[in-house]
Amino acid sequence: MREKMLFISAENPFPQDSGGKLRTGNILNILLAKYDVDLLTYRNSRPAAEKKEVPALNVYEVERTMNYRKAMLRSLYKWRNSSYMSHLDVDMRSRINELSRQNNYSHVFISHSLLGSCIDIVRRALPGAVIVTDAHNFESGLSAQLAKKKQGIAKLFYSLNAVWTRRDELKLMNKTNLLLTTSEQDALAFKALSPANSDKVQVIPNFIRLEDYPAKRNIPKEKWIILPGNMNYFPNVNAAAYFYRDIYPLVKAKVPEIKWYIVGRDVHPEVAALAEKDSSIVITGYVDSVADYVRKAQVVIAPLREGSGTRLKILEAWALKTPVVSSSKGAEGLHYEHSKNIMIADDPAAFAGSVVQLLQDHERGIVLADHAYETLLAYYEAGSIREKLLRFV
């Protein structure tokens, strides 16, 4: 008899069109080998083109009423992080209780540390269940990074967010049975936050399934560079602005025919404005397949200066054998060796020089991408993660 799991996620992971949804969906696919899973999630605003019946998986969707504005206001009197995910209890409380009454769940998987508000609901409804939380990021650290970029009232608000988030992460660590992180750096941050619960923390790196990235022959490379990602996520927004201001002019001076594609959903106005300033910049918005753009590009860039966890955009580029130039922050948490499987640069001139080198030396890019692919197979492909995850959960 297979055990039953309740899997709570703010995002329906299908279609897998963002880094967070990739991680959630890939973990869920592994857990389905061991558990019958009830997925409780918000209704997807962009449903999958084809709904596939997945054995052992039942999906229960709720409507989302907690938008960002409501969440921001509610955070002031709940003293809770302002992300809508931190207020999931508003929309999901009754369904969690209903499903818990109807099913004998042995395990509950909470797919994001910002969903920590659900843990008290789950503990009351299922006092004997094993609760597993997947952190995705060290969110209090992200909130502190965001606060540094703000001024005035906004700086005060996001500084308070960092304090509230830290408090909620500590509560979550006290109440969850297992906490998964994407990197050793995040694991150390959580352990330092709550040394008494450090034995609960385990690293499950971001990973991908190679079958989702089939090789396609005879696709010519274009003089493109690609910045992929959710373009409303503040580290990505700031990375785009930084690259445009400090790096892109140096690249264009050497390769004037260059095209820069910014590929991702939920485009922030600050990012959208870049294409209005420069006709060589293409903002795609949401696309069905980021991979189709990455395959054609000569370089994927990750000029991040904030964030936590590990970047699925880099793993996807490695799977598609497109070379990557990244800041050290962008590649944080990954197994990498500069100039062997990735180019790392933290000042604008060095970053631009690495991009130009790969644009002008196609063979150099092939060698870099081949080594990156080997790293992916060794550390970040689903087959290398499966046994470890099932051993913990």
Side-chain angles (χ1 to χ4, degrees):
M1 178 77 69
R2 284 160 56 95
E3 293 180 293
K4 290 205 72 171
M5 170 182 283
L6 175 62
F7 193 109
I8 303 171
S9 175
E11 292 186 303
N12 187 324
F14 309 110
Q16 294 188 279
D17 53 14
S18 71
K21 291 167 77 171
L22 269 172
R23 178 173 176 86
T24 300
N26 289 345
I27 285 178
L28 177 58
N29 281 323
I30 289 178
L31 294 176
L32 285 167
K34 184 176 179 180
Y35 298 95
D36 291 332
V37 177
D38 287 346
L39 168 63
L40 177 60
T41 184
Y42 279 125
R43 190 174 306 283
N44 206 330
S45 59
R46 190 178 288 111
E50 296 181 15
K51 281 200 171 183
K52 294 189 290 187
E53 293 296 324
V54 179
L57 176 64
N58 293 308
V59 181
Y60 298 91
E61 295 178 318
V62 298
E63 296 295 337
R64 180 170 145 187
T65 67
M66 184 50 62
N67 59 31
Y68 287 103
R69 182 178 294 276
K70 287 181 181 178
M72 191 169 285
L73 291 172
R74 192 171 185 252
S75 71
L76 293 171
Y77 64 86
K78 283 288 186 178
W79 291 6
R80 188 183 293 173
N81 182 286
S82 60
S83 166
Y84 83 92
M85 285 193 277
S86 294
H87 302 265
L88 204 74
D89 53 313
V90 171
D91 295 326
M92 291 197 178
R93 180 186 300 273
S94 62
R95 205 61 192 272
I96 291 172
N97 286 327
E98 178 188 347
L99 288 170
S100 298
R101 285 193 301 268
Q102 295 171 354
N103 298 275
N104 185 27
Y105 296 118
S106 62
H107 289 69
V108 178
F109 194 100
I110 298 176
S111 183
H112 208 299
S113 58
L114 287 177
L115 276 58
S117 61
C118 291
I119 201 162
D120 284 334
I121 305 169
V122 170
R123 274 284 175 233
R124 284 192 292 270
L126 299 163
V130 174
I131 299 179
V132 181
T133 303
D134 185 27
H136 282 241
N137 295 299
F138 185 59
E139 289 291 339
S140 59
L142 278 178
S143 294
Q145 290 174 38
L146 181 57
K148 287 181 181 178
K149 299 285 183 180
K150 301 294 183 179
Q151 295 181 334
I153 295 297
K155 188 178 188 71
L156 174 62
F157 177 76
Y158 286 107
S159 296
L160 287 171
N161 252 267
V163 173
W164 299 334
T165 307
R166 189 177 182 85
R167 178 205 63 195
D168 287 345
E169 284 171 340
L170 180 57
K171 173 185 171 183
L172 181 66
M173 287 193 71
N174 286 335
K175 296 195 174 187
T176 196
N177 296 100
L178 176 67
L179 184 85
L180 305 180
T181 69
T182 68
S183 69
E184 291 291 348
Q185 286 88 341
D186 281 7
L188 290 172
F190 276 106
K191 289 177 180 180
L193 177 64
S194 180
N197 292 302
S198 61
D199 60 322
K200 296 179 178 180
V201 181
Q202 298 291 343
V203 178
I204 296 293
N206 281 327
F207 62 97
I208 62 176
R209 302 187 309 165
L210 270 185
E211 61 263 33
D212 294 335
Y213 303 88
K216 294 186 178 180
R217 299 185 181 279
N218 302 319
I219 295 180
K221 289 286 189 180
E222 307 283 352
K223 276 282 193 295
W224 294 357
I225 54 179
I226 301 282
L227 175 62
N230 179 345
M231 284 303 143
N232 200 35
Y233 179 49
F234 84 88
N236 290 339
V237 174
N238 292 342
Y242 162 61
F243 186 82
Y244 172 79
R245 182 184 65 247
D246 294 344
I247 302 171
Y248 194 46
L250 304 178
V251 175
K252 287 186 71 178
K254 297 288 186 181
V255 189
E257 70 273 28
I258 191 68
K259 286 282 188 181
W260 173 20
Y261 280 77
I262 300 175
V263 184
R265 63 191 178 113
D266 302 332
V267 179
H268 190 279
E270 187 177 336
V271 176
L274 300 181
E276 298 172 7
K277 299 174 184 176
D278 189 327
S279 61
S280 71
I281 301 172
V282 180
I283 312 287
T284 67
Y286 176 82
V287 296
D288 288 332
S289 175
V290 175
D292 288 343
Y293 288 83
V294 174
R295 283 190 185 94
K296 288 184 179 181
Q298 285 189 256
V299 186
V300 166
I301 58 170
L304 288 102
R305 299 194 288 179
E306 301 125 336
S308 72
T310 54
R311 293 355 183 260
L312 274 151
K313 59 172 68 72
I314 292 180
L315 299 185
E316 289 189 297
W318 287 1
L320 295 163
K321 293 195 173 182
T322 299
V324 178
V325 180
S326 175
S327 62
S328 53
K329 186 66 176 177
E332 186 178 73
L334 296 175
H335 291 269
Y336 70 82
E337 185 177 339
H338 167 59
S339 132
K340 183 174 181 181
N341 57 8
I342 195 170
M343 302 298 285
I344 300 293
D346 287 319
D347 72 84
F351 203 110
S354 294
V355 172
V356 169
Q357 180 188 12
L358 292 172
L359 288 170
Q360 294 179 338
D361 187 350
H362 184 58
E363 292 303 314
R364 178 77 183 90
I366 291 174
V367 172
L368 197 75
D370 284 344
H371 285 145
Y373 189 79
E374 292 170 5
T375 305
L376 176 78
L377 291 179
Y379 297 103
Y380 305 110
E381 204 279 321
S384 65
I385 301 298
R386 178 188 175 92
E387 182 180 339
K388 183 179 182 181
L389 177 62
L390 293 179
R391 188 168 69 246
F392 291 144
V393 182

